[in-house]
Amino acid sequence: MNKPVAVDVENAAPVAAPETALPGTSSTSPPSAGPAYVVLGGISFSHFLNDTMQSLIPSVYPILKANYALDFAQIGLITLAFQFTASLLQPVIGAFTDKRPQPFSLAIGMSSTFLGLLLLSIAHSYAVILIAAAMIGLGSAVFHPESARIARLASGGRFGMAQSVFQVGGNAGTALGPLLAALIVVPFGQPSIAWFSTIAFLAILVLWRIGVWYKPLVAARKVVAKPHPHAPGRRRVLAALVVLVALLFSKHMYMASLSSYYTFYLIEKFHVSTQTAQLFLFIFLASVAAGVFFGGPLGDRFGRRYVIWFSILGALPFTLALPYVGLTASAVLTMFIGFILASATSAIIVFAQELVPHRLGMISGLFFGFAFGIGGVGAAALGEFADRYGIDVVYQICSFLPALGLLAVLLPRMPRHAH
């Protein structure tokens, strides 16, 4: 059996490298310093499976809207039900696991997603749809804080890279969801959602194996870090967290406008079919996954402040142009928007973790939870707005949100080792 990662309590960087094989697998190569790639791959794959299932919810909105005669406000409330449970519980769960890490909580939490998918597939009323969405959100609330901690522990000190590997799995799953919906759910209807519960079962198995790897670290109390002695003071840290939250707001509010209503925008403005609109959504979400992948390593290399600055403000020219272009240009612009905005994801999360390294679970849960909450509240608010003023107006107003990227100039410079 391979040795677990030993983590320096002072700086959370590995001091003895792990074998890259999970317990129960074989590896004859000698230990070498660096990330535990198999663990990172496993947690990223689990994130991929988790977010593939989650992305089914917005992907089947056109079907649910037609089957139950829903308006845009009701569609937004489905997103709110899903995002609210994820957003509300994530920081609570993260704070709890900071004090009492739970190695197998990830596998147990995935069971809620498993049951939520089955319930969504057989739902025959709007209330049951809301309950199913909330159960899937609960699974997400359990998954994200502890899995982000595991990604950092397995990083070998390359925190941005590890967070990007973790995040890109989720974004790839988010991108794949609409494509699977177009190929499976649209032709076979709402009951076919139950087929995706097999994905949840696979995720449970993978997460259980990761829990076996993680358990010795918990027993050895190797999962807590202390702030760097040259880190910013308490007030500066609080101010920086407020800035990061504002940047996250601008990013995810705009992302909510695309992930929840982009298909309706294309159908209404360009009269494309539902399947075609979902393919365009897949293109956007795939560009998001690519942006996440490159954002973390660039933050490790050049500094996270610069990546955050570019990734939020850099999308502004493209978002301003989007409401006024044709179908092909819309696809091209959303590719740039998705790539540039998503490159901030890993940098924001890791920057926040480095500001408060002794509260990794709480910080990860807070930021993931806030992102989910903004997505949910934003979707509900934008849905109501779209019902009143039209979907075109939504994108005209949201196009100015990336201007909040100017706030990145207020972020403190972190100790050099953090990059």
Side-chain angles (χ1 to χ4, degrees), residues 61-340:
Y61 281 169
I63 296 173
L64 297 177
K65 189 175 189 295
N67 289 349
Y68 300 96
L70 305 179
D71 57 28
F72 283 124
Q74 289 174 306
I75 292 292
L77 286 175
I78 297 174
T79 301
L80 179 60
F82 162 68
Q83 306 283 29
F84 182 74
T85 52
S87 135
L88 183 66
L89 294 180
Q90 279 199 49
V92 176
I93 293 171
F96 176 78
T97 54
D98 279 333
K99 297 180 179 179
R100 297 182 179 180
Q102 305 293 318
F104 300 104
S105 61
L106 296 175
I108 296 171
M110 189 61 64
S111 301
S112 179
T113 300
F114 176 84
L115 296 174
L117 287 171
L118 292 177
L119 186 60
L120 184 61
S121 70
I122 62 173
H124 291 93
S125 69
Y126 182 64
V128 176
I129 291 173
L130 292 178
I131 294 172
M135 291 181 67
I136 297 173
L138 175 62
S140 178
V142 176
F143 177 80
H144 284 95
E146 201 71 341
S147 57
R149 188 201 310 274
I150 290 173
R152 188 173 179 90
L153 289 173
S155 68
R158 298 175 62 188
F159 302 133
M161 180 279 297
Q163 190 62 218
S164 281
V165 170
F166 169 64
Q167 290 286 348
V168 79
N171 287 105
T174 300
L176 184 63
L179 185 60
L180 293 178
L183 297 176
I184 298 175
V185 181
V186 171
F188 298 101
Q190 183 181 341
S192 65
I193 296 173
W195 301 351
F196 293 92
S197 63
T198 57
I199 297 178
F201 183 74
L202 175 59
I204 290 171
L205 296 179
V206 174
L207 291 171
W208 188 268
R209 299 300 297 163
I210 290 175
V212 173
W213 175 87
Y214 184 36
K215 187 176 180 179
L217 297 181
V218 174
R221 300 181 181 275
K222 295 291 187 179
V223 296
V224 179
K226 294 180 180 179
H228 190 277
H230 301 297
R234 181 181 177 86
R235 289 186 178 181
R236 194 75 189 275
V237 166
L238 290 175
L241 290 175
V242 170
V243 170
L244 290 174
V245 166
L247 296 176
L248 207 63
F249 167 83
S250 69
K251 173 183 179 297
H252 281 278
M253 190 70 171
Y254 190 85
M255 292 293 229
S257 73
L258 285 176
S259 61
S260 291
Y261 300 108
Y262 186 44
T263 53
F264 297 112
Y265 172 77
L266 295 174
I267 292 170
E268 181 176 311
K269 184 170 183 178
F270 301 109
H271 309 291
V272 300
S273 67
T274 298
Q275 285 185 308
T276 299
Q278 287 173 330
L279 290 175
F280 274 81
L281 180 60
F282 167 75
I283 292 172
F284 162 70
L285 294 175
S287 69
V288 170
V292 169
F293 179 78
F294 287 102
L298 289 174
D300 285 338
R301 176 67 180 85
F302 298 106
R304 293 180 235 293
R305 289 175 74 251
Y306 302 111
V307 172
I308 293 171
W309 174 277
F310 166 76
S311 63
I312 304 295
L313 192 61
L316 184 60
F318 304 104
T319 61
L320 290 174
L322 181 63
Y324 308 102
V325 300
L327 179 62
T328 302
S330 293
V332 173
L333 288 179
T334 53
M335 287 176 61
F336 281 105
I337 291 168
F339 183 90
I340 295 173

